[in-house]
Amino acid sequence: MTTMYAALLRGINVGGNRKLPMAELRAVLEELGHTRVRTYLQSGQAVFGAERGDEDTLADGLARAIEKRFGFSVDVIVRDHAYLAAVADACPFPADSLEPKQLHVTYLSRPVTADRFAEIDRAAFRPEEFRLGDRALYLYAPRRTRPLQARRRPRPATPHRGPDRDDPQLEHRTQTGGADGRRLSPPQGPPGPEVDHENGARMGQDRAPVRAYRRSMTTDDAPTRIDFYFDPACPFAWITSRWLLEVERQRPLDLRFRAMSLYLHNLGNELPDWYRALVDKSIGPVRVAVAAAERHGEKVLRELYTAFGTRIHEQRQEDYDAVVADALAELGLDADLAAAAHDPAWDDAVRRSHEAGFEPDSGGYVGTPTLHVDGTVWFGPVLRAVPRGERAVRLFDSFRTLASDPDVFEVKRTRTGGLSFD
């Protein structure tokens, strides 16, 4: 049975010295035989699936593979989904009443005893506070976060001394990571099939347990309801969906995935031969998605769409029957759902889901992706690449501003450059 893990790397860069691009990190993990690999921004943090094994062994294997490929050594910590969820649940500070930026977690390579922890002069860091967890250090920073460097308390007849730089248990930084520590900002999933963690589902690629922790620290603002209509074959829908998942890590969203169909959308249209071939075979994964939603509920679409899209767009698999079979196996869904891909009996259900995305006034689609947000229906935004971090949120806020204006109905410009799924 596959278990989801987070790999936390220290001291790597995406440029200059010790360069380790995230695309190459994903490649290394896949070459090791791991599945459902995702990286988080450009952070050196990844989520992957593997057969249940020893975390230290997995970390050592990744560290060796990186050194062999890139010529430098990297400290790696690997933790499984259950551990990360437990760390989030055990937060000793009142997360519900604090801002996300006020809470941080540093991960340690091994446990720190209470006696050793007591030697740190915590008063020296006030008003910051920190608490010891299971191979983790929780930090509450009420004003701003500055590097946290642990210091021992002065011992009798011994001058005060700074941190022991040879002791990884007593030096750690919340912002940049310290001698064997990691901060709490790993993939959220990427990091990820996205999964309903509130109901105890497995850790996703884009939505790791840390997401649940960060969500618990958001304000009490009501989440924005977004219905996202996708066809697994559409690359633009894929990019837009990854953007929304990025926003969801930082803003309260009620994000729901719905199936639409390029096949139905293009019925009767004259299309180039290559696009007609794509549209004709696109109906298969959509039928399977609708069948899975009928059997397991619509929440399954988030994770299933990610499994489909990863194979179609990022791995460039063209055999959609294989895509369907592999995705169902990865998620532990019933293999007999694959038969729906070639069963027209599902077309009525596909049509109902498709037509639910229609714009009420016009009675049709403008295109894919289609978003229902704040009571309005939009085609797009169509993106060339996935916005990350604060840029993703700024774009979302701008989009909502435009979407809320009753007189705005179209914004468009010429597209240049190829698509990027990183």
Side-chain angles (χ1 to χ4, degrees), residues 239 384-385 415-420:
I239 292 175
R384 189 187 68 82
R415 177 169 62 88
T416 60
L419 303 184
S420 173

Side-chain angles (χ1 to χ4, degrees), residues 21-201:
M22 295 301 95
E24 297 193 35
L25 174 58
R26 293 194 294 271
V28 169
L29 285 163
E30 288 169 352
E31 289 169 5
L32 290 171
H34 301 319
T35 61
R36 300 175 63 185
V37 176
R38 286 291 182 276
T39 50
Y40 179 68
L41 302 179
Q42 302 293 334
S43 63
Q45 302 173 46
V47 171
F48 64 91
E51 294 300 316
R52 185 69 194 178
D54 178 71
E55 293 174 345
D56 290 340
T57 301
L58 292 170
D60 184 65
L62 177 56
R64 290 176 182 272
I66 291 173
E67 184 171 12
K68 180 179 179 180
R69 182 162 179 166
F70 298 99
F72 55 81
S73 61
V74 174
D75 292 331
V76 179
I77 288 178
V78 170
R79 296 288 183 261
D80 68 10
H81 167 271
Y83 167 82
L84 292 173
V87 168
D89 292 340
C91 178
F93 298 107
D96 291 341
S97 61
L98 300 177
E99 298 179 14
K101 64 183 179 182
Q102 294 179 314
L103 289 178
H104 305 264
V105 169
T106 294
Y107 291 106
L108 307 175
S109 63
R110 56 186 177 180
V112 175
T113 66
D115 290 341
R116 299 298 297 279
F117 183 67
E119 294 178 343
I120 299 174
D121 185 8
R122 288 184 284 176
F125 300 102
R126 292 174 181 167
E128 287 87 352
E129 298 180 34
F130 45 96
R131 300 285 187 274
L132 184 62
D134 175 16
R135 294 170 293 166
L137 185 72
Y138 299 89
L139 168 68
Y140 164 54
R143 290 199 296 254
R144 62 181 178 87
T145 303
R146 66 174 184 246
L148 171 63
Q149 186 171 326
R151 291 177 287 179
R152 297 177 186 270
R153 293 188 180 189
R155 298 185 179 184
T158 303
H160 177 80
R161 62 175 184 158
D164 181 350
R165 297 188 180 276
D166 294 326
D167 187 345
Q169 293 180 321
L170 289 178
E171 184 182 10
H172 31 262
R173 287 180 169 81
T174 56
Q175 287 291 73
T176 61
D180 283 305
R182 301 293 183 274
R183 64 190 174 95
L184 180 61
S185 55
Q188 268 309 337
E194 296 302 307
V195 190
D196 180 17
H197 289 290
E198 290 82 353
N199 291 324

Side-chain angles (χ1 to χ4, degrees), residues 309-329:
T310 299
R311 290 165 172 79
I312 293 172
H313 304 297
E314 299 188 11
Q315 299 175 6
R316 300 183 182 276
Q317 296 184 25
E318 297 182 357
D319 183 346
Y320 282 11
D321 287 341
V323 165
V324 166
D326 291 347
L328 293 175

